[in-house]
Amino acid sequence: MFEKLIWFFFQSDVRKYLKEEIRDRRFVNYSNAKTILLIFESDLSEQNLLIRNIIQQLVSDGKKVKSWGFVNKKVTSSAILQDYRILHQGNLNFLKKPNNLILDELSHIKSDLLIDLTTTEIIPLQYITLYANAACKTGLKKTNMNFYDFMVDLKQENLDIENNNEAVDANTVYNQIIFYLKSIQTKD
């Protein structure tokens, strides 16, 4: 019951924000993206080796990367770094919305591209994606919420054949998004 209430308030916040939103939206392909905000679900150990490898790959391509994750624990053991941050339940209000300090910090981060690597609906990270100051927001199509500028729709049945029945994970989402961002050429 409480989860339905949280979801109701989240949807209300999304509709209100998108109605009032004043954001300079534009498509940003991979070669034109200089700064990237990476959104991910942290593993419980907070090691996030896959995410760290993705960050390394982006940095080696000359991108400046900030990454924000979420772990469903009361506190996090990870240090808060300038370019790498893991949110936890203590950073949220009772409706799973990040507190004002987090949203204020997020508002000061400007990026060309936001890449959401989550494969499920994680309300705190959806708020981060919604409020992020990014020219182009991209991620996996999960709901009918429209806060992405570019979505990848990965049907599970198609991926089962291609990936030998492996579940969709952050690496699959990342590879698909990067493939399309590199393939699409724009004339700016």
Side-chain angles (χ1 to χ4, degrees):
M1 174 66 180
F2 192 62
E3 289 297 319
K4 287 183 180 179
L5 186 64
I6 290 170
W7 185 249
F8 172 79
F9 280 105
F10 170 69
Q11 290 176 318
S12 175
D13 285 349
V14 169
R15 282 190 297 275
K16 181 180 176 187
Y17 182 80
L18 291 177
K19 191 181 292 185
E20 299 169 355
E21 176 188 36
I22 306 170
R23 183 168 69 89
D24 181 25
R25 292 177 181 225
R26 61 185 164 82
F27 180 78
V28 179
N29 65 13
Y30 188 76
S31 63
N32 292 337
K34 304 295 182 236
T35 56
I36 297 175
L37 177 59
L38 201 63
I39 307 295
F40 66 96
E41 178 180 11
S42 176
D43 55 38
L44 287 175
S45 67
E46 300 176 33
Q47 295 299 310
N48 301 308
L49 297 176
L50 172 66
I51 300 303
R52 291 178 190 272
N53 288 337
I54 289 172
I55 293 168
Q56 233 7 56
Q57 188 176 2
L58 291 168
V59 168
S60 69
D61 283 350
K63 312 299 182 191
K64 183 174 180 190
V65 181
K66 290 191 181 283
S67 52
W68 283 41
F70 176 75
V71 64
N72 196 15
K73 298 191 313 191
K74 292 190 187 281
V75 293
T76 181
S77 58
S78 298
I80 298 172
L81 304 173
Q82 183 178 358
D83 293 336
Y84 184 85
R85 175 167 201 152
I86 297 180
L87 303 176
H88 53 87
Q89 292 172 355
N91 300 122
L92 312 174
N93 67 17
F94 68 96
L95 293 173
K96 296 187 179 182
K97 182 176 182 178
N99 64 38
N100 289 337
L101 290 173
I102 298 296
L103 294 178
D104 185 52
E105 182 180 339
L106 181 66
S107 71
H108 291 90
I109 298 173
K110 294 189 188 308
S111 57
D112 297 322
L113 184 62
L114 178 142
I115 301 175
D116 181 354
L117 297 177
T118 60
T119 57
T120 59
E121 295 171 346
I122 302 167
I123 289 179
L125 291 178
Q126 288 181 309
Y127 272 114
I128 297 299
T129 300
L130 179 67
Y131 290 122
N133 189 1
C136 183
K137 297 179 184 183
T138 183
L140 182 65
K141 181 179 180 182
K142 294 176 278 236
T143 65
N144 57 2
M145 297 282 181
N146 189 19
F147 40 74
Y148 295 125
D149 303 310
F150 178 77
M151 285 186 280
V152 176
D153 188 6
L154 300 177
K155 301 269 190 261
Q156 186 64 42
E157 58 273 8
N158 295 339
L159 286 171
D160 286 345
I161 296 166
E162 294 174 20
N163 296 331
N164 299 324
N165 295 325
E166 293 177 16
V168 175
D169 64 357
N171 193 48
T172 305
V173 174
Y174 171 76
N175 287 332
Q176 290 293 311
I177 289 172
I178 295 302
F179 171 78
Y180 287 110
L181 290 176
K182 285 182 176 179
S183 300
I184 298 172
Q185 298 300 317
T186 61
K187 294 180 181 178
D188 294 318

